Amino acid sequence: TGMVTLDPGFTNTASTTSAITYIDGEAGVLRYRGYPIEQLAEHSSFLEVSYLLIYGELPTADQLTAFTSRVQRHTLLHEDLKRFFDGFPRDAHPMPVLSSAVSALSTFYQDSLSPFDETQVELSTIRLLAKLPTIAAYAHKKSIGQPLLYPDNRLGLVENFLRLSFGLPAEDYEVDPVMVKALDQLFILHADHEQNCSTSTVRLVGSGQANLFASVSAGIHALSGPLHGGANSAVLEMLGDIRKSDDDVDTFMTRVKNKEKGVRLMGFGHRVYKNYDPRAAIIKKTADEILQKLGKRDELLDIAMRLEEIALNDEYFISRKLYPNVDFYTGLIYKAMGFPTKMFTVLFALGRLPGWIAQWREMMEDPQTKIGRPRQVYTGVPERDYVPVPDRG
Ligand code: CMC
């Protein structure tokens, strides 16, 4: 056997080159295609950022209009796919529903599966960007037992998604511009994050030349874990548990620091950011403002702020360079918007989608790409001889 390097969790191994996203974990820098996240969050829109990530440049006004209307034209789900939502149990978690529906797209759109046909990849890209918000809203409607609306393509992507999530058939749904702007910004902040767990999954599945729908469906499952995208719902559950229990914030912190099994300060820590997460800095600034504008002052926000204050001044967290990450405050905003906790990670998936697509496409176009096939270090028993059943002690 040749020399194999062991690197559990890939803490020190680059799996690919990439020209999409730049992170400097020490300095707290995040850039998409060279543009600082702070500038994009303030001035851009989610669809524009999606275009930037996927095609490499900011769109001209004409390109953005054409891209927006292409996405708008594909928001409908096939009626047969819509029926899938009746088949899931009412209390189904929306993340596996989302992943199943994306997986099913490869049965409905067999004309856009080839990973090497540019026209087909482009069509799958648009279909995914257009249909994922519809699928996500239907997963939510299904879980609360309300009828599924049809998309209204006079609306923008985020407006459409909010109307599909909260509107009712016989009512005009008033889209709240404060909510639209906040959600659009949150999607921008989530749009890509180089080789994280779900993106690496999308690439690994795609490296075997599986189609884009199959690869993204796998990425959604990867995102669902509580150490990854699932952290945003886990934060809210943690805050709720602290409020409900007799424990005060300090008792909870002691349990975290004693490393009780399964007890972590959710929404804290990051593999790459060791000083601060620039996304969290932006979110923290807007969280308070948005909660105020929506008129939802939340007791849980106070608990979160208290936890943060303790952690930032505590030796345990300081020595391990643990800071609030993107998931620490998002849940409170999503809750104020009216989403149930189960939907939070689905919202992360909606934001991350353009990143997954951009990374998958970059890989497929790269002549250096090989099938992903990590090595291992074997630790099992050495060779031994088979023993027939009657002779086994
Ligand atoms: N609370 C308490 N202790 C922690 C935490 C935390 N949130 N995060 C890390 N630690 C400790 C960990 O026990 C270890 O201690 P020691 O050195 O004594 O063994 C040390 O800090 C290093 O942690 P690690 O688990 O080796 O670090 P990692 O890079 O493998 O994990 C992480 C990164 C994000 C999975 C982890 O910090 C974590 O579990 N955080 C909580 C879950 C979370 O918020 N995830 C969202 C990540 S950001 C965006 C996303 O991907 O969704």
Side-chain angles (χ1 to χ4, degrees):
T1 61
M3 272 295 281
V4 168
T5 314
L6 179 64
D7 182 10
F10 305 104
T11 53
N12 200 29
T13 300
S15 60
T16 183
T17 59
S18 179
I20 301 171
T21 288
Y22 174 77
I23 300 177
D24 179 340
E26 293 299 325
V29 168
L30 169 62
R31 295 183 201 132
Y32 298 159
R33 302 281 189 187
Y35 295 102
I37 191 65
E38 291 80 8
Q39 292 181 22
L40 294 171
E42 190 170 344
H43 303 296
S44 187
S45 74
F46 177 60
L47 265 188
E48 190 184 29
V49 165
S50 302
Y51 187 102
L52 171 69
L53 287 168
I54 295 169
Y55 305 108
E57 294 296 335
L58 285 170
T60 62
D62 284 351
Q63 285 168 334
L64 185 59
T65 310
F67 182 62
T68 305
S69 74
R70 283 199 79 192
V71 171
Q72 273 168 338
R73 277 203 305 276
H74 282 87
T75 50
L76 277 177
L77 295 195
H78 193 291
E79 289 298 308
D80 290 339
L81 178 54
K82 238 176 122 185
R83 287 214 302 275
F84 274 53
F85 292 85
D86 294 332
F88 293 110
R90 161 89 185 265
D91 60 355
H93 195 286
M95 277 300 271
V97 172
L98 194 73
S99 179
S100 307
V102 169
S103 187
L105 291 179
S106 44
T107 68
F108 286 90
Y109 301 106
Q110 299 185 44
D111 61 335
S112 69
L113 299 184
S114 165
F116 300 114
D117 180 322
E118 251 176 67
T119 319
Q120 292 192 27
V121 168
E122 187 51 29
L123 191 52
S124 302
T125 295
I126 301 292
R127 281 173 169 157
L128 264 177
L129 289 171
K131 291 178 203 299
L132 199 66
T134 312
I135 293 171
Y138 286 0
H140 169 59
K141 282 287 185 185
K142 164 74 195 179
S143 74
I144 54 173
Q146 288 186 0
L148 311 182
L149 305 182
Y150 287 104
D152 176 348
N153 289 338
R154 288 164 304 182
L155 301 175
L157 184 137
V158 172
E159 285 101 319
N160 219 344
F161 170 65
L162 287 172
R163 180 182 157 272
L164 290 175
S165 299
F166 298 119
L168 287 166
E171 283 176 12
D172 284 337
Y173 177 72
E174 285 281 333
V175 187
D176 178 345
V178 174
M179 225 154 104
V180 173
K181 188 163 179 302
L183 195 54
D184 196 89
Q185 190 193 54
L186 286 170
F187 285 168
I188 293 174
L189 295 175
H190 286 87
D192 194 51
H193 215 232
E194 50 119 304
Q195 307 313 317
N196 58 84
C197 173
S198 56
T199 303
S200 297
T201 300
V202 169
R203 279 187 178 259
L204 190 59
V205 173
S207 78
Q209 300 181 2
N211 71 65
L212 181 60
F213 300 126
S215 305
V216 167
S217 164
I220 293 171
H221 280 310
L223 186 72
S224 71
L227 296 191
H228 191 11
N232 61 8
S233 5
V235 168
L236 249 272
E237 280 155 17
M238 171 185 80
L239 298 175
D241 285 349
I242 294 175
R243 186 178 55 182
K244 262 191 299 190
S245 74
D246 297 329
D247 286 6
D248 56 19
V249 168
D250 297 302
T251 317
F252 174 76
M253 282 303 219
T254 308
R255 294 177 58 212
V256 170
K257 290 192 278 178
N258 288 342
K259 297 195 178 175
E260 257 179 57
K261 203 171 155 58
V263 184
R264 278 194 164 190
L265 180 55
M266 299 313 283
F268 258 70
H270 197 275
R271 172 63 62 78
V272 185
Y273 294 123
K274 298 299 177 194
N275 270 313
Y276 74 99
D277 178 339
R279 305 166 299 174
I282 299 171
I283 289 168
K284 188 180 172 169
K285 227 170 63 191
T286 42
D288 218 13
E289 184 188 313
I290 286 153
L291 295 187
Q292 244 169 30
K293 276 195 197 153
L294 293 175
K296 306 254 166 97
R297 182 78 211 162
D298 196 322
E299 197 190 324
L300 297 182
L301 177 66
D302 299 330
I303 300 177
M305 285 167 69
R306 183 95 189 88
L307 285 173
E308 186 185 15
E309 194 192 315
I310 296 175
L312 292 178
N313 294 297
D314 189 295
E315 187 47 32
Y316 175 97
F317 295 91
I318 294 170
S319 62
R320 291 174 177 78
K321 297 180 184 269
L322 303 171
Y323 297 91
N325 60 49
V326 69
D327 295 315
F328 193 67
Y329 280 106
T330 48
L332 291 161
I333 304 176
Y334 297 148
K335 179 169 177 264
M337 289 175 170
F339 288 104
T341 312
K342 272 182 173 182
M343 276 295 286
F344 296 177
T345 313
V346 168
L347 298 169
F348 192 149
L350 290 182
R352 184 54 53 86
L353 178 66
W356 289 333
I357 296 173
Q359 300 266 351
W360 185 94
R361 289 176 59 145
E362 182 183 60
M363 179 184 66
M364 288 303 177
E365 285 161 16
D366 182 354
Q368 308 254 302
T369 296
K370 288 171 183 257
I371 187 167
R373 205 301 184 189
R375 303 300 303 273
Q376 66 162 21
V377 174
Y378 178 71
T379 58
V381 291
E383 183 179 355
R384 51 181 168 170
D385 288 322
Y386 176 81
V387 180
V389 176
D391 300 343
R392 283 176 218 163

